[in-house]
Amino acid sequence: MAAGSAIQIPSRLPLLLTHESVLLPGSTMRTSVDSPRNMQLVRSRLLKGTSLRSTIIGVIPNTSDPTSDCDDLPNLHRIGTAALAVQVVGSNWPKPHYTLLVTGLCRFQILQLLKEKPYPVAEVQQLDRLEQFTNGHKSEEELGELSEQFYKYAVQLVEMLDMSVPAVAKLRRLLDNLPREALPDILTSIIRTTNQEKLQILDAVRLEERFKMTIPLLVRQIEGLKLLQKTRKSKQDDDKRVVAIRPNRRISHGSITEDEEEEEDHDDVVMLEKKIRTSSMSEQALKVCLKEIKRLKKMPQSMPEYALTRNYLELMVELPWNKSTKDRLEIRAARIVLDNDHYAMEKLKKRVLEYLAVRQLKNNLKGPILCFVGPPGVGKTSVGRSIAKTLGREFHRIALGGVCDQSDIRGHRRTYVGSMPGRIINGLKTVGVNNPVFLLDEVDKLAKSLQGDPAAALLEVLDPEQNHSFTDHYLNVAFDLSQVLFIATANTTATIPPALLDRMEVIQVPGYTQEEKIEIAHRHLIPKQLEQHGLTPQQIQIPQVTTLGIITRYTREAGVRALDRKLGAICRAVAVKVAEGQHKEAKPDRAEVGEGEDCKEHITEDAKPESISDTADLALPPEMPILIDFHALKDILGPPMYDMEVSERLNQPGVAIGLAWTPLGGEIMFVEASRMDGEGQLTLTGQLGDVMKESAHLAISWLRSNAKRYQLTNASGSFDLLDNTDIHLHFPAGAVTKDGPSAGVTIVTCLASLFSGRLVCSDVAMTGEITLRGLVLPVGGIKDKVLAAHRAGLKRIIIPQRNEKDLEEIAEHVRQDLTFVLAGCLDEVLNAAFDGGFAVKARLEHLNSKL
Ligand code: ADP
């Protein structure tokens, strides 16, 4: 042994007796020391010694029974291992002991025991070094063969171990670097051997013998490992077999395993590629898609980007790049469809037909986008739908109300998590053709935010010069939108971004008159509601007076949406009665009841006697339609929501009725004024805009400058109206912000009433802007305002003279009900507003509407 041959161990060695295991030269062992003899050795030799020699001890395996450890020294094994104490660790717990780390150096043989106490010391003879000489006579070849054989087994053994473990790799290197003679000892201490076997190796002083004894140990270990590997492999095979069996089992249950899923996914990708190649997408899009699919194939499925890319490609395939419906435009048919679907709206229908006619003659869609502007529920959306129907195109509504992010229109870039295409591309995917009718609903309610201006994105969509190559951020390739027919709707043009408004042709859709509403209800809404509720005209009858009652007393709107809802509520209530009645009728004993009684009970069940018009209720046969009269209305809808309050509110000075226009249609508006002692301040309340406030100041200024002329005085009789007087003007009714100059005349009238103490006529409403000089200027929204006054049951309307032309738009029967006063200056307004005129130099001009 090289290590052994290089060192010379002392001839006298203290002996450490170990029970636990056998230390062999070249190996390291940790052993616990707790017997008094060994403890003494450690204390006085190892801990006190200062030279290197003092750290060398003789380790002798203690073959005697450890339990019989007594004071007498047992019979010592003759051969031991000289060892270097590398480390000593002491501890008091659980009992005092030392832990020694010792490395074996070489064999020795006890020649003579020199002393026994406190620890044994013996005169020893170093064996391994001697051995080289003693074995010198052995033929080199024989030993070489043995060692070669041993080496082969050793290599075989080590290579069967897991070489990725660093200790194994190190061992493999050691095999080559260490002298062969050292190997049997080292390997024996590494491989699984009993203490007895190790002892035998220790005792095999002759190298040849040691080789011979260790080879069977190595072989045994190799066989053991082989067996282990075999069982492991077969276990793995078993596992595999289990996996292989599972798919079949799973399939029989209708689900798929991971392997299959993967395969299927692969198939899907191939299919996707096929679809991409056969789809009619643009060249640019095809290029991008093929690039993406190439990436997809290389990507592991677990990557988040895999799903993203796949979704993208699937969308690209689904998009209607080249798919369109065939237009079947025939103007006469279009007219019929529009007329059938909608009552009234003549102006709108006319314009739509013109638009369609141009499309028919000139087969391109370049031109302004139609934008229907009007209050809610006047049929804007529904006309859009009819246009799609007449053209035979798909219809898709894109609600823009509240959209404040341009990515809503143009999509998110694919780098974002959760990115998706914008509403335009999504809409195209939904309809599946590239030439649908897109209704951009509520363009006036687009909002701006930090995420960009959606109106700017819409501009690109709507511009016929640009939209043939609209690029959604998600798609990142151009899509041709030029075949899409865009129609926009809005409640007011005021809030439509100007650039957007510029691209559109605005068609005003005013509110309906009561008569129109009645017609719409009977022609369209009631039949629709009956159908929705599974009722027939034989089961329910709503006379026109009832509809009028609903319109005037339960709704106050420009459109017909609330009316539609109320009719729905009536149908629901009737449906319950009808269903209950049917249930009752189905009972067999009902047949035996007398006819008259039967009818009576049926009516009671169906509609309650007081809900049905008073004529001979009890004589009605059971199939008689349930008649909805005012009683029934009250029953179903509750007490009327709106009453004719006009006359009640005008019974004291300082109140006048104005007409306001809001995006929801026209409205009547009571303006109230009161005065009190003060310092000439004006207080304004109600939801008012700046222009309205200016009108109030103008009105006061004009009245103050004309106070003498009209004999207007304050409470103390002074013509200085604001002298010691405060004025409070209130514009009640609602949280809707009212703004605009058109309340000027109403404020003047109201204040004139306040300061003159005279009552304003209770049947008159007015609108008009004023100037400081007392002129009345024209205002907008006359039709809606007139309809509102008509709805409220007013009879006379004061409007600016220059608005006379607007009266033509108003339906004949409405005009007949009303008297219009055309006022050029405030004198005329005041004269018309007060019974018996107002000014001295009155120039009254009544105009009986014959327009
Ligand atoms: P908008 O888009 O103007 O808010 P909608 O188009 O949604 O209103 O119309 C509301 C309801 O009123 C729809 O059921 C529609 O059919 C009906 N409607 C409105 N105007 C008419 C009309 N002139 N003729 C028939 N039905 C109408």
Side-chain angles (χ1 to χ4, degrees), residues 235-305:
K235 196 164 167 252
Q236 274 174 2
D237 282 354
D238 279 355
D239 285 348
K240 268 187 202 153
R241 228 174 296 136
V242 171
V243 172
I245 293 163
R246 240 189 282 151
N248 298 337
R249 224 191 286 151
R250 285 242 203 134
I251 279 172
S252 65
H253 287 282
S255 57
I256 308 159
T257 63
E258 279 172 26
D259 284 357
E260 290 225 327
E261 258 172 33
E262 237 165 61
E263 223 165 75
E264 245 173 46
D265 277 344
H266 183 71
D267 283 354
D268 278 359
V269 174
V270 174
M271 286 283 285
L272 198 58
E273 186 175 358
K274 218 163 137 192
K275 276 192 208 161
I276 290 169
R277 287 185 191 281
T278 52
S279 81
S280 49
M281 62 177 76
S282 65
E283 228 173 81
Q284 186 198 7
L286 186 68
K287 230 164 129 188
V288 173
C289 283
L290 290 179
K291 208 169 116 198
E292 290 290 323
I293 200 119
K294 224 168 156 186
R295 281 184 57 218
L296 191 71
K297 280 182 187 165
K298 286 184 199 149
M299 233 183 265
Q301 283 179 26
S302 49
M303 233 168 118
E305 212 188 327

Coordinates of all heavy atoms in Angstrom, one line a residue, residues 235-305:
K235 N -40.4 -3.0 -12.9 CA -41.4 -2.2 -12.3 C -41.8 -1.0 -13.2 O -43.0 -0.7 -13.4 CB -40.9 -1.6 -11.0 CG -42.0 -1.1 -10.1 CD -41.5 -0.9 -8.7 CE -42.6 -0.1 -7.9 NZ -42.1 1.3 -7.6
Q236 N -40.7 -0.5 -13.8 CA -41.0 0.6 -14.8 C -41.9 0.1 -15.9 O -42.8 0.8 -16.4 CB -39.7 1.2 -15.3 CG -39.1 2.2 -14.4 CD -37.8 2.7 -14.9 OE1 -37.3 2.2 -15.9 NE2 -37.2 3.6 -14.1
D237 N -41.5 -1.1 -16.4 CA -42.3 -1.7 -17.5 C -43.7 -1.8 -17.1 O -44.6 -1.5 -17.8 CB -41.7 -3.0 -17.9 CG -40.4 -2.9 -18.7 OD1 -40.2 -1.7 -19.1 OD2 -39.8 -3.9 -19.0
D238 N -43.9 -2.3 -15.8 CA -45.2 -2.5 -15.3 C -46.0 -1.1 -15.3 O -47.1 -1.0 -15.8 CB -45.2 -3.0 -13.9 CG -45.0 -4.5 -13.9 OD1 -45.0 -5.1 -15.0 OD2 -44.8 -5.1 -12.8
D239 N -45.2 -0.1 -14.9 CA -45.8 1.2 -14.9 C -46.3 1.6 -16.2 O -47.4 2.1 -16.5 CB -44.8 2.3 -14.3 CG -44.7 2.1 -12.8 OD1 -45.5 1.4 -12.2 OD2 -43.8 2.7 -12.3
K240 N -45.3 1.4 -17.2 CA -45.7 1.7 -18.6 C -46.9 1.0 -19.0 O -47.8 1.5 -19.7 CB -44.5 1.4 -19.5 CG -43.6 2.7 -19.6 CD -42.5 2.4 -20.6 CE -41.3 3.3 -20.4 NZ -40.1 2.8 -20.9
R241 N -46.9 -0.3 -18.7 CA -48.0 -1.1 -19.1 C -49.3 -0.6 -18.5 O -50.3 -0.5 -19.2 CB -47.8 -2.6 -18.7 CG -48.0 -3.5 -19.9 CD -47.7 -4.9 -19.5 NE -46.2 -5.1 -19.3 CZ -45.8 -5.8 -18.2 NH1 -46.6 -6.4 -17.4 NH2 -44.5 -5.9 -18.0
V242 N -49.2 -0.1 -17.3 CA -50.4 0.4 -16.7 C -50.9 1.6 -17.4 O -52.0 1.8 -17.8 CB -50.1 0.8 -15.2 CG1 -51.3 1.5 -14.6 CG2 -49.9 -0.5 -14.4
V243 N -49.9 2.5 -17.8 CA -50.2 3.7 -18.6 C -50.8 3.3 -19.9 O -51.8 3.9 -20.4 CB -49.0 4.5 -18.8 CG1 -49.3 5.7 -19.7 CG2 -48.5 5.1 -17.5
A244 N -50.2 2.2 -20.5 CA -50.7 1.8 -21.8 C -52.1 1.2 -21.7 O -52.9 1.3 -22.6 CB -49.8 0.7 -22.4
I245 N -52.4 0.6 -20.6 CA -53.7 0.0 -20.4 C -54.8 1.1 -20.2 O -55.8 1.1 -20.7 CB -53.8 -1.0 -19.3 CG1 -52.9 -2.2 -19.6 CG2 -55.2 -1.4 -19.0 CD1 -52.6 -3.0 -18.4
R246 N -54.3 2.1 -19.4 CA -55.2 3.2 -19.0 C -56.0 3.9 -20.2 O -57.2 4.0 -20.1 CB -54.5 4.2 -18.2 CG -55.2 4.3 -16.8 CD -54.6 5.4 -16.0 NE -53.3 5.2 -15.5 CZ -52.4 6.1 -15.2 NH1 -52.6 7.3 -15.5 NH2 -51.2 5.8 -14.7
P247 N -55.2 4.2 -21.3 CA -56.0 4.9 -22.3 C -57.2 4.1 -22.8 O -58.2 4.7 -22.9 CB -55.0 5.1 -23.5 CG -53.7 4.7 -22.9 CD -53.8 4.1 -21.6
N248 N -57.0 2.8 -23.0 CA -58.1 2.1 -23.5 C -59.3 2.1 -22.5 O -60.4 2.3 -22.9 CB -57.7 0.6 -23.6 CG -56.6 0.5 -24.7 OD1 -56.5 1.4 -25.5 ND2 -55.8 -0.6 -24.6
R249 N -58.8 2.0 -21.2 CA -59.9 2.0 -20.2 C -60.6 3.3 -20.2 O -61.8 3.4 -20.1 CB -59.2 1.8 -18.8 CG -60.0 0.8 -18.0 CD -59.5 0.8 -16.6 NE -58.2 0.1 -16.5 CZ -57.3 0.4 -15.6 NH1 -57.5 1.4 -14.7 NH2 -56.1 -0.2 -15.5
R250 N -59.7 4.4 -20.4 CA -60.3 5.7 -20.3 C -61.2 6.0 -21.5 O -62.3 6.6 -21.4 CB -59.2 6.8 -20.4 CG -58.5 6.9 -19.1 CD -58.7 8.3 -18.5 NE -57.7 8.6 -17.6 CZ -57.0 9.7 -17.6 NH1 -57.3 10.6 -18.5 NH2 -56.1 10.0 -16.7
I251 N -60.8 5.5 -22.7 CA -61.6 5.7 -23.9 C -63.0 5.1 -23.7 O -64.0 5.7 -24.0 CB -60.9 5.2 -25.1 CG1 -59.8 6.2 -25.6 CG2 -61.9 4.9 -26.2 CD1 -58.9 5.7 -26.7
S252 N -62.9 4.0 -23.0 CA -64.2 3.3 -22.9 C -65.1 4.2 -22.0 O -66.3 4.1 -22.1 CB -64.1 1.9 -22.3 OG -63.6 2.1 -20.9
H253 N -64.5 5.1 -21.2 CA -65.4 6.0 -20.5 C -65.6 7.3 -21.2 O -66.2 8.2 -20.7 CB -64.7 6.3 -19.1 CG -64.8 5.1 -18.2 ND1 -65.9 4.8 -17.5 CD2 -63.9 4.1 -17.9 CE1 -65.7 3.7 -16.8 NE2 -64.5 3.3 -17.0
G254 N -65.0 7.4 -22.4 CA -65.3 8.6 -23.2 C -64.4 9.8 -23.0 O -64.6 10.8 -23.6
S255 N -63.3 9.6 -22.2 CA -62.4 10.7 -22.0 C -61.1 10.4 -22.7 O -60.8 9.2 -23.1 CB -62.2 11.1 -20.6 OG -61.8 10.0 -19.9
I256 N -60.2 11.3 -22.7 CA -58.9 11.2 -23.5 C -57.7 11.3 -22.6 O -57.7 12.2 -21.7 CB -58.9 12.2 -24.6 CG1 -60.2 12.1 -25.4 CG2 -57.7 12.0 -25.5 CD1 -60.4 13.4 -26.2
T257 N -56.7 10.6 -22.8 CA -55.5 10.7 -21.9 C -54.6 11.9 -22.5 O -54.8 12.4 -23.6 CB -54.7 9.5 -22.0 OG1 -54.2 9.3 -23.3 CG2 -55.4 8.3 -21.5
E258 N -53.6 12.1 -21.6 CA -52.7 13.2 -22.0 C -52.0 13.0 -23.4 O -51.9 13.8 -24.2 CB -51.6 13.4 -21.0 CG -52.1 14.2 -19.8 CD -51.1 14.3 -18.7 OE1 -49.9 14.1 -18.9 OE2 -51.6 14.4 -17.5
D259 N -51.5 11.7 -23.5 CA -50.8 11.4 -24.7 C -51.7 11.6 -25.9 O -51.3 12.2 -26.9 CB -50.5 9.9 -24.8 CG -49.3 9.6 -23.9 OD1 -48.7 10.6 -23.3 OD2 -48.9 8.4 -23.7
E260 N -52.9 11.2 -25.8 CA -53.8 11.4 -26.9 C -54.1 12.8 -27.2 O -54.2 13.3 -28.3 CB -55.1 10.6 -26.6 CG -54.9 9.1 -26.6 CD -56.0 8.5 -27.4 OE1 -57.2 9.0 -27.3 OE2 -55.8 7.5 -28.0
E261 N -54.3 13.5 -26.0 CA -54.5 15.0 -26.2 C -53.4 15.6 -27.0 O -53.7 16.4 -27.9 CB -54.6 15.6 -24.8 CG -56.0 15.9 -24.4 CD -56.1 16.3 -22.9 OE1 -55.2 17.0 -22.5 OE2 -57.0 16.0 -22.3
E262 N -52.2 15.3 -26.6 CA -51.1 15.9 -27.3 C -51.1 15.5 -28.8 O -51.0 16.4 -29.7 CB -49.8 15.3 -26.8 CG -48.9 16.4 -26.2 CD -47.8 15.8 -25.4 OE1 -47.0 15.0 -25.9 OE2 -47.7 16.2 -24.2
E263 N -51.5 14.3 -29.1 CA -51.5 13.9 -30.5 C -52.6 14.7 -31.2 O -52.5 15.1 -32.3 CB -51.8 12.4 -30.5 CG -51.0 11.7 -31.6 CD -51.1 10.2 -31.3 OE1 -52.1 9.6 -31.6 OE2 -50.1 9.6 -30.8
E264 N -53.7 14.8 -30.5 CA -54.9 15.5 -31.1 C -54.5 16.9 -31.3 O -54.9 17.5 -32.4 CB -56.0 15.4 -30.1 CG -57.2 14.6 -30.7 CD -58.3 14.5 -29.6 OE1 -58.6 15.5 -29.0 OE2 -58.7 13.3 -29.5
D265 N -53.8 17.5 -30.3 CA -53.4 18.9 -30.5 C -52.5 19.0 -31.7 O -52.6 20.0 -32.5 CB -52.6 19.4 -29.3 CG -53.6 19.8 -28.2 OD1 -54.7 20.0 -28.6 OD2 -53.1 19.9 -27.0
H266 N -51.6 18.0 -31.9 CA -50.8 18.1 -33.1 C -51.6 18.0 -34.3 O -51.4 18.8 -35.3 CB -49.8 16.9 -33.0 CG -48.8 17.0 -34.1 ND1 -47.8 17.9 -34.2 CD2 -48.8 16.2 -35.3 CE1 -47.2 17.7 -35.4 NE2 -47.7 16.7 -36.0
D267 N -52.6 17.1 -34.3 CA -53.5 17.0 -35.4 C -54.2 18.3 -35.7 O -54.4 18.8 -36.8 CB -54.6 15.9 -35.1 CG -54.0 14.6 -35.3 OD1 -52.8 14.5 -35.8 OD2 -54.7 13.6 -35.0
D268 N -54.6 19.0 -34.5 CA -55.3 20.2 -34.7 C -54.5 21.3 -35.4 O -54.9 22.0 -36.2 CB -55.7 20.8 -33.3 CG -56.9 20.1 -32.8 OD1 -57.5 19.3 -33.5 OD2 -57.3 20.4 -31.6
V269 N -53.2 21.3 -35.0 CA -52.3 22.3 -35.6 C -52.2 22.0 -37.1 O -52.2 22.9 -37.9 CB -50.9 22.2 -34.9 CG1 -49.9 23.1 -35.6 CG2 -51.0 22.7 -33.4
V270 N -52.1 20.7 -37.4 CA -52.0 20.4 -38.8 C -53.3 20.9 -39.6 O -53.2 21.5 -40.6 CB -51.8 18.9 -39.0 CG1 -51.9 18.5 -40.5 CG2 -50.5 18.5 -38.4
M271 N -54.4 20.6 -38.9 CA -55.7 21.0 -39.5 C -55.7 22.5 -39.6 O -56.2 23.1 -40.7 CB -56.9 20.6 -38.5 CG -57.2 19.1 -38.6 SD -58.1 18.7 -40.0 CE -59.7 19.4 -39.6
L272 N -55.2 23.2 -38.6 CA -55.2 24.7 -38.6 C -54.4 25.2 -39.8 O -54.9 26.1 -40.5 CB -54.7 25.1 -37.3 CG -54.9 26.6 -36.9 CD1 -56.4 26.8 -36.8 CD2 -54.3 26.9 -35.5
E273 N -53.3 24.5 -40.0 CA -52.4 24.9 -41.1 C -53.2 24.7 -42.4 O -53.1 25.6 -43.3 CB -51.1 24.2 -41.0 CG -50.2 24.7 -42.1 CD -48.8 24.0 -42.0 OE1 -48.6 23.1 -41.1 OE2 -48.0 24.3 -42.8
K274 N -53.9 23.6 -42.5 CA -54.6 23.3 -43.7 C -55.6 24.4 -43.9 O -55.8 24.9 -45.1 CB -55.3 22.0 -43.5 CG -55.2 21.1 -44.8 CD -55.5 19.7 -44.4 CE -56.5 19.0 -45.3 NZ -56.9 17.8 -44.8
K275 N -56.3 24.7 -42.8 CA -57.4 25.7 -43.0 C -56.8 27.1 -43.4 O -57.4 27.8 -44.2 CB -58.1 25.9 -41.6 CG -59.2 24.9 -41.3 CD -59.9 25.4 -40.1 CE -60.6 24.2 -39.4 NZ -60.9 24.6 -38.0
I276 N -55.6 27.4 -42.8 CA -55.0 28.7 -43.2 C -54.7 28.7 -44.6 O -55.0 29.7 -45.3 CB -53.7 28.9 -42.3 CG1 -54.1 29.2 -40.9 CG2 -52.9 30.0 -42.9 CD1 -52.9 29.1 -39.9
R277 N -54.2 27.6 -45.1 CA -53.7 27.5 -46.5 C -54.9 27.6 -47.5 O -54.9 28.2 -48.5 CB -52.9 26.3 -46.8 CG -51.5 26.4 -46.2 CD -50.7 25.2 -46.6 NE -49.4 25.2 -45.8 CZ -48.4 25.9 -46.1 NH1 -48.4 26.8 -47.1 NH2 -47.3 25.8 -45.3
T278 N -56.0 27.0 -47.0 CA -57.2 27.0 -47.9 C -58.1 28.2 -47.7 O -59.0 28.4 -48.5 CB -58.0 25.7 -47.7 OG1 -58.3 25.6 -46.3 CG2 -57.3 24.5 -48.2
S279 N -57.9 29.0 -46.7 CA -58.7 30.1 -46.5 C -58.4 31.2 -47.5 O -57.3 31.2 -48.1 CB -58.5 30.7 -45.0 OG -57.4 31.5 -45.0
S280 N -59.3 32.1 -47.6 CA -59.1 33.1 -48.6 C -58.6 34.4 -48.1 O -58.9 35.5 -48.6 CB -60.5 33.4 -49.3 OG -61.4 33.6 -48.3
M281 N -57.7 34.3 -47.1 CA -57.2 35.6 -46.5 C -56.2 36.2 -47.4 O -55.7 35.6 -48.4 CB -56.6 35.3 -45.1 CG -55.4 34.3 -45.1 SD -54.8 34.2 -43.4 CE -55.9 33.1 -42.6
S282 N -56.0 37.5 -47.1 CA -55.1 38.3 -48.0 C -53.7 37.7 -47.9 O -53.4 37.0 -47.0 CB -55.1 39.7 -47.5 OG -54.5 39.8 -46.2
E283 N -52.9 38.1 -48.9 CA -51.6 37.6 -49.0 C -50.8 37.9 -47.8 O -50.1 37.1 -47.2 CB -50.9 38.2 -50.2 CG -50.3 37.1 -51.1 CD -49.8 37.8 -52.3 OE1 -48.7 38.4 -52.3 OE2 -50.5 37.7 -53.4
Q284 N -51.0 39.2 -47.3 CA -50.2 39.6 -46.2 C -50.6 38.8 -44.9 O -49.7 38.3 -44.2 CB -50.6 41.1 -45.9 CG -49.8 41.8 -44.9 CD -50.4 43.1 -44.4 OE1 -51.6 43.4 -44.8 NE2 -49.8 43.8 -43.5
A285 N -51.9 38.6 -44.8 CA -52.4 37.8 -43.6 C -51.8 36.4 -43.7 O -51.4 35.8 -42.7 CB -53.9 37.8 -43.6
L286 N -51.9 35.8 -44.9 CA -51.4 34.4 -45.1 C -49.9 34.3 -44.6 O -49.6 33.3 -43.9 CB -51.6 34.0 -46.5 CG -51.3 32.6 -46.8 CD1 -52.3 31.7 -46.2 CD2 -51.2 32.3 -48.3
K287 N -49.2 35.3 -45.0 CA -47.8 35.3 -44.7 C -47.6 35.2 -43.2 O -46.8 34.4 -42.6 CB -47.1 36.5 -45.3 CG -45.9 36.2 -46.1 CD -45.5 37.4 -46.9 CE -44.2 37.9 -46.8 NZ -44.0 39.2 -47.5
V288 N -48.3 36.1 -42.5 CA -48.2 36.2 -41.1 C -48.6 34.9 -40.4 O -48.0 34.4 -39.5 CB -49.0 37.4 -40.6 CG1 -49.1 37.4 -39.0 CG2 -48.5 38.7 -41.1
C289 N -49.7 34.4 -40.9 CA -50.3 33.2 -40.3 C -49.3 32.0 -40.5 O -49.1 31.2 -39.5 CB -51.6 32.8 -41.0 SG -52.9 33.8 -40.4
L290 N -48.7 31.9 -41.6 CA -47.8 30.8 -41.9 C -46.6 30.9 -40.9 O -46.1 29.9 -40.4 CB -47.4 30.7 -43.3 CG -48.5 30.3 -44.3 CD1 -48.0 30.2 -45.7 CD2 -49.0 28.9 -43.9
K291 N -46.2 32.1 -40.7 CA -45.0 32.3 -39.9 C -45.4 31.9 -38.4 O -44.7 31.3 -37.7 CB -44.7 33.8 -39.9 CG -43.2 34.1 -39.6 CD -42.8 35.5 -39.9 CE -42.4 36.2 -38.6 NZ -42.4 37.6 -38.7
E292 N -46.6 32.3 -38.1 CA -47.1 32.0 -36.7 C -47.2 30.5 -36.5 O -46.9 30.0 -35.4 CB -48.4 32.7 -36.4 CG -48.3 34.2 -36.3 CD -47.5 34.6 -35.0 OE1 -47.7 34.0 -34.0 OE2 -46.8 35.6 -35.1
I293 N -47.7 29.8 -37.5 CA -48.0 28.4 -37.3 C -46.6 27.7 -37.2 O -46.5 26.7 -36.5 CB -48.9 27.8 -38.5 CG1 -49.5 26.5 -38.0 CG2 -48.1 27.5 -39.7 CD1 -50.9 26.5 -38.0
K294 N -45.7 28.2 -37.9 CA -44.3 27.6 -37.8 C -43.8 27.7 -36.4 O -43.3 26.7 -35.8 CB -43.4 28.4 -38.8 CG -42.5 27.5 -39.6 CD -41.9 28.3 -40.6 CE -40.6 27.9 -41.2 NZ -40.0 28.9 -42.1
R295 N -44.0 28.9 -35.8 CA -43.6 29.1 -34.4 C -44.4 28.1 -33.5 O -43.9 27.6 -32.6 CB -43.9 30.5 -34.0 CG -42.9 31.5 -34.5 CD -43.1 32.9 -34.0 NE -43.2 32.9 -32.6 CZ -44.0 33.7 -31.9 NH1 -44.9 34.4 -32.5 NH2 -44.0 33.7 -30.6
L296 N -45.7 28.0 -33.8 CA -46.6 27.2 -33.0 C -46.1 25.8 -32.9 O -46.2 25.1 -31.9 CB -48.0 27.3 -33.5 CG -49.1 26.8 -32.6 CD1 -49.3 27.7 -31.5 CD2 -50.4 26.6 -33.4
K297 N -45.7 25.3 -34.0 CA -45.2 23.9 -34.1 C -44.0 23.6 -33.2 O -43.9 22.5 -32.7 CB -44.9 23.5 -35.5 CG -46.1 23.2 -36.4 CD -45.6 22.8 -37.8 CE -46.7 22.7 -38.7 NZ -46.2 22.6 -40.1
K298 N -43.2 24.7 -33.1 CA -42.0 24.5 -32.3 C -42.2 24.7 -30.8 O -41.4 24.4 -30.0 CB -40.9 25.4 -32.8 CG -40.3 25.0 -34.1 CD -39.2 26.0 -34.5 CE -38.9 25.9 -35.9 NZ -38.4 27.2 -36.4
M299 N -43.4 25.3 -30.5 CA -43.6 25.7 -29.1 C -44.1 24.6 -28.3 O -45.0 23.8 -28.7 CB -44.7 26.8 -29.2 CG -44.3 28.1 -28.5 SD -45.7 29.2 -28.6 CE -45.3 30.1 -30.1
P300 N -43.6 24.5 -27.0 CA -44.3 23.5 -26.1 C -45.7 24.0 -25.8 O -45.9 25.2 -25.6 CB -43.3 23.5 -24.9 CG -42.5 24.7 -25.0 CD -42.5 25.2 -26.4
Q301 N -46.6 23.0 -25.6 CA -47.9 23.4 -25.4 C -48.2 24.1 -24.1 O -49.1 24.8 -23.9 CB -48.8 22.2 -25.4 CG -49.1 21.8 -26.8 CD -49.9 20.5 -26.8 OE1 -50.7 20.3 -25.9 NE2 -49.8 19.8 -27.8
S302 N -47.2 23.8 -23.1 CA -47.4 24.4 -21.8 C -47.1 25.9 -21.8 O -47.4 26.6 -20.9 CB -46.5 23.7 -20.8 OG -45.2 23.6 -21.4
M303 N -46.5 26.4 -22.8 CA -46.1 27.8 -22.9 C -47.4 28.6 -23.0 O -48.3 28.3 -23.8 CB -45.2 28.0 -24.1 CG -44.0 28.7 -23.7 SD -42.9 28.6 -25.2 CE -42.7 30.3 -25.5
P304 N -47.5 29.7 -22.2 CA -48.7 30.5 -22.3 C -48.9 31.1 -23.7 O -50.0 31.3 -24.2 CB -48.5 31.7 -21.3 CG -47.3 31.3 -20.5 CD -46.6 30.2 -21.2
E305 N -47.8 31.3 -24.4 CA -47.9 31.9 -25.7 C -48.5 30.9 -26.7 O -49.1 31.4 -27.8 CB -46.5 32.3 -26.2 CG -46.5 33.5 -27.1 CD -45.2 33.8 -27.7 OE1 -44.2 33.5 -27.0 OE2 -45.2 34.3 -28.8

